[in-house]
Amino acid sequence: MSINLLEISYLIASLTFIVGLKMLSHPDSARKGNLIAAAGMLIAIVATLTIFQDFDEDKILNYGLIFSGLIVGTVIGTVMAKKVQMTAMPQMVSFFNGMGGACAALIAIIEYQHHQHSTVTGFDGELLVMLLGLLIGSVSFSGSMIAYGKLEGKIKDRVLPMNQAINMIMLGAIVVLIIYQLFAESTPFQFYVLLGLALVYGVLFVMPIGGADMPVVISLLNSFTGMAAAFGGFLYDNKAMLTGGILVGSAGTILTILMCNAMNRSLTNVLLGAFGAGASGPAKGQSGDQTAREISISDTAVLLSYSQNVVIVPGYGLAVAQAQHTCHELEKLLEEKGVEVNYAIHPVAGRMPGHMNVLLAEADVPYERMQEMEEINPRLANADVVVVIGANDVVNPAAKNDPSSPIYGMPILEVDQAKNVIILKRGMSAGYAGIENELFFYPKTRMLFGDAKDTLQKLTMEVKEV
């Protein structure tokens, strides 16, 4: 009877994961979907602790440790989630993803200790699952920690001499070691050598990848963690763990493929080519013109107020300045003056998938105003003004015009087709890919220098007076 109740609980939890993931596809239902999935996870945890085993004298200490861990983890997670700024959300995603990979690796380590006493002969499928869980979980953990450090600005891009060759040799050694343990006697020494190689490989795997590719890396590592969790589900015959891992793994894989398609690059090219990994160079400009033209707050206000169609392109600079609420205030003010305002969203803008969508949703920007790149690009030629706030690489015409550019071939928001372009930036610094933006020097482009939030606040006051 208890086994049936446990299976039913896991089934309910699995259904909540599926429903929650479906609801995450739209901002209006995303918050509720997240809560539903979290409730399903709570059901699975409570059912495992109360139904799977009976309390007895020998297990009181174990349960005390388990509940202590739950309490400590809940407190730490809640505090981190409450205090995190939107600009640091990518780092938190990488950190939590790394913790998931570490848990999967620990499961493999613990189960391997029990497995050493088994008497399985021939091909050992359970050992294969443990080795794969250890490998993928370890790579996800160390890779996510490097991604966290790079997003936090504490780790710079580093490309070792013959980095790709070293990675291929390490990967080959890992494969050989796994095969050897499957068909020969597996020893703890070999198992922990595999652990060490996987951790080092995760570091070398992520270290050379440039900043502009970081959203793809995050989604890929997320899929790794999901796969590792699914292997844990196989080991424990836990349907909830298996379903959750498969959902995370498949969703992360699909998202990685979609983002690669949006960048017009293969996953191999992302991992080996690395946008922004030390790339740098001057912008070509237009006809050799290297003069950036400025515009004042008052002139910008007049231009916006008497436009019919305005498009706002948000970027990471908007997140850093925490200017999304001020931007939304300006948008509403322009709408009151009869100006049509939309937001152009590039799929890899920001530091993680969907970063700009989440940022604008936090400021209560209507979802229908957020236009994806494929939808907004054909309409940019009709825009009276495009306002670029903190974005750089995703609007750089070099991606179309300069075959020597490291971002050549990446689809961009074609803001250079608009009648007027105003770029809000602190200065003339290069983008995250490490190259200058030739759009800055186009005759139709005007630079509005300053902190995004402060500039938007002043611009909003000026628009009120027009």
Side-chain angles (χ1 to χ4, degrees):
M1 180 63 180
S2 62
I3 295 178
N4 290 335
L5 287 176
L6 184 64
E7 293 298 322
I8 292 172
S9 299
Y10 287 163
L11 177 60
I12 293 172
S14 299
L15 290 174
T16 62
F17 297 159
I18 296 171
V19 173
L21 182 62
K22 175 62 178 177
M23 296 179 73
L24 289 175
S25 63
H26 197 283
D28 292 341
S29 58
R31 185 185 297 270
K32 185 179 295 184
N34 196 36
L35 292 175
I36 289 174
M41 180 61 72
L42 180 62
I43 291 172
I45 292 173
V46 172
T48 301
L49 294 177
T50 58
I51 301 176
F52 183 69
Q53 294 176 328
D54 295 325
F55 285 94
D56 59 39
E57 187 175 351
D58 294 334
K59 297 173 184 174
I60 292 177
L61 179 60
N62 290 339
Y63 275 92
L65 291 174
I66 290 171
F67 283 113
S68 297
L70 286 173
I71 293 171
V72 172
T74 300
V75 171
I76 293 176
T78 301
V79 172
M80 290 180 66
K82 289 285 187 181
K83 289 189 174 183
V84 67
Q85 299 291 334
M86 278 303 302
T87 50
M89 193 60 71
Q91 291 93 304
M92 174 165 279
V93 171
S94 292
F95 182 81
F96 284 167
N97 186 65
M99 293 300 101
C103 289
L106 287 173
I107 288 174
I109 292 172
I110 293 171
E111 289 306 305
Y112 181 78
Q113 294 174 354
H114 297 300
H115 185 75
Q116 287 181 273
H117 305 292
S118 66
T119 57
V120 177
T121 57
F123 179 77
D124 191 343
E126 189 174 82
L127 178 61
L128 174 61
V129 172
M130 292 177 194
L131 295 177
L132 291 177
L134 178 73
L135 168 63
I136 299 175
S138 300
V139 170
S140 178
F141 167 69
S142 59
S144 295
M145 292 301 100
I146 296 299
Y148 169 83
K150 294 177 77 169
L151 290 167
E152 192 72 14
K154 296 179 179 179
I155 299 177
K156 303 297 182 183
D157 297 334
R158 292 287 186 273
V159 181
L160 297 177
M162 301 179 64
N163 189 89
Q164 295 179 15
I166 294 173
N167 282 358
M168 295 302 294
I169 292 172
M170 287 195 64
L171 185 59
I174 288 171
V175 172
V176 169
L177 189 55
I178 290 176
I179 294 175
Y180 180 82
Q181 291 190 75
L182 287 174
F183 295 98
E185 183 180 358
S186 176
T187 65
F189 175 75
Q190 297 166 357
F191 186 82
Y192 289 111
V193 167
L194 177 62
L195 171 62
L197 287 175
L199 290 172
V200 174
Y201 180 77
V203 173
L204 298 179
F205 171 70
V206 178
M207 186 66 77
I209 297 177
D213 285 328
M214 200 51 64
V216 180
V217 175
I218 291 175
S219 61
L220 180 63
L221 291 173
N222 187 252
S223 69
F224 285 178
T225 298
M227 292 169 58
F231 287 134
F234 276 117
L235 287 176
Y236 292 136
D237 192 25
N238 187 314
K239 305 301 188 298
M241 195 173 180
L242 181 62
T243 303
I246 291 173
L247 287 174
V248 172
S250 58
T253 302
I254 292 172
L255 180 59
T256 302
I257 294 172
L258 290 175
M259 296 182 72
C260 286
N261 291 338
M263 296 166 65
N264 195 29
R265 302 171 72 203
S266 66
L267 181 58
T268 302
N269 185 252
V270 169
L271 299 180
L272 301 182
F275 281 179
S280 62
K284 289 170 56 179
Q286 194 173 52
S287 302
D289 184 5
Q290 294 291 311
T291 303
R293 301 160 182 84
E294 292 189 52
I295 189 172
S296 66
I297 294 285
S298 58
D299 287 344
T300 303
V302 172
L303 183 59
L304 292 175
S305 298
Y306 289 98
S307 297
Q308 292 182 331
N309 189 331
V310 171
V311 176
I312 299 174
V313 179
Y316 187 65
L318 180 73
V320 171
Q322 300 183 43
Q324 61 270 29
H325 296 280
T326 309
C327 185
H328 182 40
E329 184 181 352
L330 175 63
E331 167 220 320
K332 291 188 294 183
L333 190 59
L334 291 174
E335 287 285 343
E336 292 174 2
K337 291 179 174 289
V339 182
E340 180 184 353
V341 182
N342 289 293
Y343 293 83
I345 309 296
H346 193 282
V348 295
R351 298 294 185 267
M352 70 176 182
H355 195 181
M356 294 301 105
N357 302 75
V358 174
L359 189 75
L360 296 175
E362 185 194 30
D364 296 324
V365 172
Y367 186 68
E368 57 273 11
R369 295 194 187 281
M370 304 181 204
Q371 308 292 315
E372 299 298 330
M373 179 176 63
E374 295 81 2
E375 184 179 1
I376 196 69
N377 265 349
R379 298 160 50 192
L380 286 175
N382 298 322
D384 296 309
V385 185
V386 170
V387 182
V388 181
I389 308 175
N392 202 322
D393 303 315
V394 297
V395 296
N396 192 342
K400 300 186 300 178
N401 306 332
D402 184 6
S404 66
S405 172
I407 65 170
Y408 182 71
M410 182 181 80
I412 61 169
L413 291 166
E414 298 175 352
V415 302
D416 56 309
Q417 301 298 315
K419 299 170 185 176
N420 296 280
V421 180
I422 298 176
I423 299 179
L424 273 66
K425 276 181 66 70
R426 289 180 178 272
M428 294 292 291
S429 59
Y432 203 31
I435 58 174
E436 284 186 322
N437 191 341
E438 65 181 58
L439 179 66
F440 296 169
F441 310 108
Y442 279 28
K444 66 174 66 177
T445 301
R446 296 294 183 272
M447 307 297 296
L448 185 56
F449 293 115
D451 175 78
K453 186 174 184 179
D454 181 60
T455 301
L456 287 172
Q457 288 174 340
K458 293 177 180 178
L459 186 56
T460 300
M461 296 300 296
E462 286 288 340
V463 170
K464 289 180 180 179
E465 300 299 325
V466 175

